[in-house]
């Protein structure tokens, strides 16, 4: 695709499906999990919140999430609480995430709260993947049964025709 289309962030955002700007909430909570895991590790290591948000923003591939994180960073620089800033981007950060960040702000233990958020969303992601896998299992069984049935019919049909031709 890169050989045919001009390079640039505007073209990349429009043409690549994972980088299109969307107001739809994510299907799997993986972006939220990553957005909580990255600042968690940074804040626990003693990195300032603004730098942690900058690191999280630069490590994301989705331009919509990058814009949300940079907007949150600007709001923190202006002195607004993180939970209020996260609530402004409901397509990226859901209500649970914002509420847990608000609790972390009130208790003063943001690194612990980010760890709890990351663990919560990691478990939720694993449950979603397990549910998708469970839904695919019956489809795979039917497909395998059809394939095996086709192979059996393809193998035995010539044998029966030869038996008919020989008069057996």
């Amino acid at each position: 695709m890169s050989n045919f289309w001009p390079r640039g962030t505007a073209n990349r955002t429009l043409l690549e499906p994972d980088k299109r700007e969307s107001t739809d909430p994510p299907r799997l909570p993986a972006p939220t999990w990553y957005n909580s895991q990255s600042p968690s590790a940074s804040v626990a290591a003693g990195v300032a919140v603004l730098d942690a948000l900058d690191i999280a923003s630069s490590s994301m591939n989705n331009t919509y999430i990058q814009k949300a994180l940079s907007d949150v960073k600007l709001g923190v620089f202006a002195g607004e609480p993180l939970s209020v800033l996260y609530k402004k981007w409901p397509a990226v950060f859901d209500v649970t995430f914002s509420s847990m960040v608000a609790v972390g702000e009130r208790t003063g233990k943001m690194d612990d709260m980010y760890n709890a958020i990351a663990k919560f969303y990691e478990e939720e992601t694993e449950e979603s993947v397990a549910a998708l896998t469970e839904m695919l299992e019956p489809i795979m069984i039917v497909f395998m049964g059809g394939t095996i049935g086709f192979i059996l019919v393809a193998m035995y049909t010539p044998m029966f025709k030869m038996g008919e031709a020989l008069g057996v």
Side-chain angles (χ1 to χ4, degrees):
M1 186 158 136
S2 62
N3 295 337
F4 299 109
W5 300 103
R7 294 180 189 219
T9 57
N11 294 327
R12 184 176 58 211
T13 302
L14 291 173
L15 298 174
E16 294 181 17
D18 64 330
K19 295 182 181 176
R20 272 188 246 149
E21 293 189 18
S22 171
T23 56
D24 296 335
R27 300 285 184 253
L28 291 174
T32 307
W33 167 69
Y34 186 78
N35 285 332
S36 60
Q37 187 180 24
S38 180
S40 167
S42 300
V43 170
V47 176
V49 174
L50 288 173
D51 293 334
L53 288 170
D54 194 33
I55 291 167
S57 174
S58 65
S59 63
M60 294 301 289
N61 290 334
N62 191 309
T63 55
Y64 187 75
I65 296 174
Q66 284 178 339
K67 182 170 175 17
L69 286 171
S70 63
D71 186 44
V72 169
K73 179 184 171 189
L74 289 173
V76 168
F77 189 72
E80 293 182 58
L82 274 172
S83 57
V84 172
L85 296 167
Y86 285 140
K87 286 179 185 175
K88 290 180 182 178
W89 291 89
V92 178
F93 310 105
D94 63 356
V95 176
T96 306
F97 183 84
S98 302
S99 300
M100 291 176 85
V101 168
V103 170
E105 286 175 330
R106 283 188 219 120
T107 60
K109 298 190 177 202
M110 285 301 293
D111 56 338
D112 293 337
M113 190 52 64
Y114 274 133
N115 281 330
I117 294 168
K119 185 182 289 185
F120 171 77
Y121 282 110
E122 182 177 13
E123 291 171 1
E124 192 172 307
T125 301
E126 289 174 2
E127 290 173 6
S128 298
V129 169
L132 285 172
T133 304
E134 287 179 14
M135 288 189 315
L136 287 175
E137 283 176 0
I139 295 170
M140 292 183 340
I141 290 171
V142 168
F143 177 74
M144 291 298 293
T147 303
I148 292 170
F150 176 76
I151 290 171
L152 287 174
V153 168
M155 285 175 48
Y156 284 113
T157 301
M159 287 183 193
F160 290 135
K161 287 189 179 182
M162 281 179 27
E164 286 176 9
L166 294 174
V168 178

